[in-house]
Amino acid sequence: MFDKNGQRIKQIGYGAMVLEGYYGQSDDNAAVETLTHAINQQMMIDTADAYGAGHNEELVCQAIKQASVAPFIATKFGIVYEEGEKGSQLDTGWGFPLTINGSKAYVQRAIDSCLRRLGVEQIDLLYAHYLDPNVALEETISAMAEAVAAGKVAAIGVSNVTAEEIERANNVHPIASVQYEYSLFRREAEREILPTVNRIGAALVAWSPLGAGFLTGNVNALEKDDFRNNNPKMQGDNFTSNLQRLEKIKSVAFDLGVSPAQLALAWLVAQGDNVLPIPGSRKITRIDENLQALNIKLSPDILTQLDNIAPIGAFKGATLV
Ligand SMILES: NC(=O)c1ccc[n+]([C@@H]2O[C@H](COP(=O)([O-])OP(=O)(O)OC[C@H]3O[C@@H](n4cnc5c(N)ncnc54)[C@H](OP(=O)(O)O)[C@@H]3O)[C@@H](O)[C@H]2O)c1
């Protein structure tokens, strides 16, 4: 993926969702420092209006002011998080539905709110976070395209979509990026999403590239209020079975002298130049550790080993999107 000056952006970005306390508490001052560090490392920042109900974008705004380089900010709209806004119910497989609005009027309001909270004149990359099941995607994408024409947005993307929806969206306006869960923990994107993304020349931005922390080996039990309790892969027998499989990946990382997180990210980077993981962390040292994965080249033999340990569908527990 390229920035508006035509420069290729770093293949590992930074996911800011973790700064909203979903996977354990986060402190705002430390969060701004962490974000500033990620911007200064020239990592794409991935946020969304719904993360912390606007709060995450406000943290990003503070970091942009403190950073010493120009940022590349990706944000998303579509999940209704404000009182008084309506939308369509969308099942997620997370144990609760989301409310989504993709109507033209909502898209216009949402973009203006993102610009205001981020404190920028233009959003580098804007995603429809989820498509509204009751609004034709052509309406949503056309409204985003109008924002591009107005100079409010530089490039657009879609997230949590089917291959067919990617094609339809791309027929309305060029899609620069598709965001989808992708990691050794969940490889289903390889079936139809990645081939479609490759065909249209877009980037695949891999969300939860560390399996929401699972692939780091640090998630062996969850606190009661941890959002990941909603993930079927981290519940009951699935969790136990998945932890056993993870041991084999950890052993490959150990033999290579890299951390399990670095191995998971290097594996994603090896899937194609256009595959961009966006790991999140509250710790600056881990951002640096994760970025180092760009310097790890996995041999064909290691890639085959990982294919054998974690083929598509190997980790137990399904989610709908
Ligand atoms: N489009 C969508 O619908 C969607 C959905 C989910 C996520 N996303 C995006 O994807 C981004 C990343 O996903 P995610 O936050 O769900 O999961 P992730 O990046 O796979 O994992 C984050 C977790 O890993 C831990 N971690 C990170 N680096 C580590 C390291 N080197 N060693 C040990 N632990 C490490 C973090 O803990 P510490 O904070 O303690 O380091 C955090 O709990 C989000 O921030 C968001 O921007 C998008």
Side-chain angles (χ1 to χ4, degrees), residues 118-187:
L118 289 168
V120 296
E121 285 179 8
Q122 187 182 57
I123 296 163
D124 297 297
L125 174 59
L126 176 76
Y127 293 94
H129 206 153
Y130 288 85
L131 295 176
D132 184 330
N134 294 318
V135 173
L137 74 82
E138 285 76 9
E139 175 176 335
T140 309
I141 304 299
S142 296
M144 295 167 77
E146 280 175 24
V148 174
K152 294 180 178 184
V153 171
I156 68 171
V158 285
S159 164
N160 304 314
V161 284
T162 64
E164 189 238 336
E165 288 166 339
I166 295 169
E167 301 271 14
R168 277 173 56 199
N170 195 55
N171 285 340
V172 179
H173 187 277
I175 296 297
S177 172
V178 173
Q179 197 168 127
Y180 205 85
E181 183 176 4
Y182 186 31
S183 72
L184 279 167
F185 200 36
R186 188 172 176 218
R187 295 181 60 173

Side-chain angles (χ1 to χ4, degrees), residues 15 23 46 159-160 179 208 210 212 280-283 286 290:
Y23 306 163
D46 187 80
S159 164
N160 304 314
Q179 197 168 127
S208 290
L210 300 171
S281 174
R282 293 161 296 174
K283 301 181 181 72
R286 286 183 173 169
N290 294 344

Side-chain angles (χ1 to χ4, degrees), residues 227-299:
F227 181 79
R228 292 169 291 190
N229 285 302
N230 298 306
N231 188 336
K233 280 187 162 52
M234 299 195 212
Q235 294 168 353
D237 292 346
N238 288 346
F239 201 10
T240 311
S241 153
N242 291 341
L243 283 168
Q244 282 165 3
R245 188 177 297 277
L246 178 63
E247 285 306 312
K248 297 181 194 161
I249 297 179
K250 283 164 68 179
S251 153
V252 174
F254 182 81
D255 290 347
L256 288 173
V258 303
S259 71
Q262 289 176 324
L263 178 62
L265 296 171
W267 177 84
L268 276 168
V269 164
Q271 304 312 307
D273 289 352
N274 60 335
V275 176
L276 280 78
I278 45 167
S281 174
R282 293 161 296 174
K283 301 181 181 72
I284 286 174
T285 50
R286 286 183 173 169
I287 292 179
D288 292 341
E289 175 190 330
N290 294 344
L291 201 48
Q292 279 304 315
L294 285 178
N295 300 324
I296 301 168
K297 299 279 170 270
L298 300 179
S299 68

Side-chain angles (χ1 to χ4, degrees), residues 1-10 42 72 276:
M1 195 154 31
F2 298 89
D3 66 17
K4 48 190 165 239
N5 300 318
Q7 295 294 314
R8 187 178 280 274
I9 64 170
K10 268 199 184 143
Q42 298 189 300
F72 185 102
L276 280 78

